[in-house]
């Protein structure tokens, strides 16, 4: 997907309160700010109930740009998690969220981590799929049984409402939104700047690097990514890949080139490298990483690292572990 030129920057208003998780706010906002530095697309604000600075869970204070009453009805809402229980039942917050949910102007409500509970408390998630932090699973299902909780997902889209799992999953969601707003090239640059790696959740491969976010625009390519990640050692010829994706070899080659800027062979190699990097950072040996990622032999892994990163696997571990 090429870069997308937007007529007017999308405004994002973050609703903050005492006890927010700092990374829930800073992670996505940093991603949007970084994307904007590559291609103007966002204006960012923080709003508190009374317009006063708020204290985050680490104890740091965050200055704000205004009150909840200053919310721009044309802005996306970002709701970080944290000590959210103190905000449940807040009628001021409920009124604002209901107004936001009723809009039909292509704006979004985005919750990070336990921020989804604030939406659930307002009844906005009833009958919808949503995600939140794994530690909130039991309480979320008990308190809000009308929500279809998808707690194994990094993030979930339900109409114009996006909810994400814990903490750093907010960055995954922000990258996904950046890809939608500004295109694949900008999301890739942003991910590279933030150094986003592959994540696993509950034994299932959760592909959160920029490559998967670029591929998300094509459901069959996204599906192919998941299949390759689950069977990295398979013989991924272009014919086998096209069959798994349910497209012709010509279509597969074209879509990968247009959406990701890679050939089929490069696509497989990038996926395997993400698996290998994760294995290495989890203290697997180079031999184990080569096997787990589908490269088979150590020499194959070394050559791929040199091509892609200009360093050896050993040097990579020294720099990033």
């Amino acid at each position: 997907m090429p870069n997308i030129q937007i007529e007017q920057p999308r405004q994002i208003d973050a609703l903050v309160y005492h006890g927010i998780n700092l990374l829930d706010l800073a992670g996505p906002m940093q991603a949007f700010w970084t994307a904007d530095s590559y291609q103007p697309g966002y204006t960012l604000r923080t709003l508190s109930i009374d317009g006063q600075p708020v204290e985050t869970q680490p104890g740091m204070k965050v200055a704000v740009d205004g009150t909840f009453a200053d919310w721009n009805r044309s802005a996306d809402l970002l709701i970080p998690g944290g000590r959210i229980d103190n905000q449940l039942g807040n009628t001021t917050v409920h009124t604002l969220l209901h107004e936001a949910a009723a809009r039909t102007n292509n704006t979004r409500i985005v919750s990070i981590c336990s921020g989804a509970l604030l939406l659930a408390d307002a009844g906005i998630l009833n009958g919808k799929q949503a995600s939140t932090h794994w530690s909130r699973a039991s309480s979320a299902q008990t308190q809000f049984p009308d929500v279809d909780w998808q707690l194994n997902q990094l993030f979930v889209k339900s109409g114009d409402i996006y909810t994400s799992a814990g903490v750093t999953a907010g960055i995954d969601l922000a990258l996904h939104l950046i890809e939608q707003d500004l295109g694949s090239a900008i999301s890739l640059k942003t991910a590279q700047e933030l150094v986003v790696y592959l994540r696993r959740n509950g034994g299932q491969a959760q592909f959160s690097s920029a490559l998967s976010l670029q591929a998300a625009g094509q459901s069959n390519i996204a599906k192919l990514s998941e299949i390759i990640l689950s069977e990295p050692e398979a013989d991924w010829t272009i014919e086998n890949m096209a069959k798994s994706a349910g497209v012709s070899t010509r279509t597969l080659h074209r879509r990968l080139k247009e959406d990701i800027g890679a050939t089929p062979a490069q696509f497989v190699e990038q996926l395997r490298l993400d698996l290998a990097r994760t294995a290495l950072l989890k203290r697997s040996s180079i031999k184990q990483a080569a096997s787990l990622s589908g490269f088979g032999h150590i020499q194959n892994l070394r050559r791929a690292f040199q091509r892609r990163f200009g360093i050896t696997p050993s040097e990579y571990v020294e720099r990033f572990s």
Side-chain angles (χ1 to χ4, degrees):
M1 183 186 295
N3 290 2
I4 300 171
Q5 299 296 325
I6 58 177
E7 297 180 0
Q8 185 175 352
R10 182 182 283 270
Q11 184 166 316
I12 299 176
D13 285 350
L15 306 184
V16 298
Y17 50 89
H18 290 296
I20 64 168
N21 185 312
L22 181 59
L23 191 54
D24 283 357
L25 173 68
M29 295 293 263
Q30 179 68 52
F32 291 125
W33 184 89
T34 300
D36 185 79
S37 71
Y38 291 120
Q39 179 178 316
Y42 300 104
T43 59
L44 309 173
R45 298 195 307 171
T46 53
L47 306 175
S48 66
I49 290 179
D50 56 6
Q52 296 299 309
V54 299
E55 186 172 309
T56 66
Q57 281 190 22
M60 299 173 63
K61 288 189 175 181
V62 172
V64 300
D65 301 297
T67 71
F68 282 7
D70 298 317
W71 165 56
N72 183 340
R73 269 60 181 171
S74 297
D76 288 350
L77 287 186
L78 178 71
I79 305 167
R83 297 194 183 100
I84 204 75
D85 299 280
N86 295 332
Q87 305 303 319
L88 300 182
N90 188 313
T91 55
T92 299
V93 175
H94 282 193
T95 298
L96 187 154
L97 293 178
H98 279 287
E99 289 181 15
R103 296 174 298 177
T104 57
N105 56 353
N106 195 35
T107 50
R108 302 177 294 221
I109 298 176
V110 180
S111 76
I112 312 301
C113 194
S114 57
L117 301 184
L118 197 57
L119 297 176
D121 184 54
I124 292 171
L125 294 181
N126 288 350
K128 294 182 172 62
Q129 292 187 336
S131 185
T132 189
H133 194 280
W134 63 267
S135 67
R136 294 286 194 148
S138 178
S139 60
Q141 292 168 331
T142 300
Q143 287 181 269
F144 310 110
D146 293 329
V147 180
D148 183 5
W149 294 106
Q150 301 290 312
L151 299 171
N152 62 329
Q153 300 297 317
L154 282 177
F155 57 84
V156 175
K157 177 183 184 298
S158 187
D160 293 324
I161 299 176
Y162 295 75
T163 55
S164 70
V167 194
T168 54
I171 298 175
D172 296 278
L173 175 51
L175 288 170
H176 176 73
L177 298 176
I178 290 165
E179 195 274 339
Q180 287 186 343
D181 296 337
L182 301 179
S184 301
I186 300 302
S187 68
L188 174 59
K189 287 182 179 180
T190 302
Q192 289 173 330
E193 179 68 21
L194 299 180
V195 194
V196 178
Y197 294 116
L198 170 72
R199 291 178 177 83
R200 287 181 178 271
N201 183 22
Q204 296 183 357
Q206 297 294 327
F207 195 67
S208 60
S209 75
L211 182 60
S212 71
L213 294 169
Q214 292 170 12
Q218 297 288 347
S219 60
N220 46 12
I221 301 300
K223 176 183 176 182
L224 177 60
S225 298
E226 296 173 0
I227 295 173
I228 294 175
L229 286 168
S230 67
E231 303 178 68
E233 74 287 348
D235 182 18
W236 290 113
T237 63
I238 187 171
E239 289 79 14
N240 290 339
M241 293 170 66
K243 182 178 179 180
S244 294
V247 297
S248 67
T249 56
R250 181 176 181 180
T251 297
L252 176 65
H253 195 285
R254 175 177 56 80
R255 286 185 177 173
L256 288 174
K257 200 67 176 177
E258 290 177 353
D259 296 337
I260 299 173
T263 65
Q266 290 170 337
F267 177 61
V268 173
E269 182 174 274
Q270 289 175 21
L271 292 174
R272 286 173 171 165
L273 280 170
D274 271 330
L275 287 172
R277 288 190 297 173
T278 298
L280 290 170
L281 293 177
K282 290 183 176 179
R283 301 289 192 258
S284 294
S285 68
I286 295 176
K287 183 177 181 180
Q288 288 172 326
S291 177
L292 290 169
S293 59
F295 282 106
H297 300 290
I298 292 177
Q299 199 56 39
N300 294 337
L301 177 60
R302 285 176 176 157
R303 282 195 291 264
F305 258 79
Q306 287 286 359
R307 275 194 301 270
R308 181 70 173 168
F309 309 120
I311 58 176
T312 66
S314 297
E315 290 171 328
Y316 179 84
V317 171
E318 290 175 2
R319 293 186 186 187
F320 296 104
S321 66

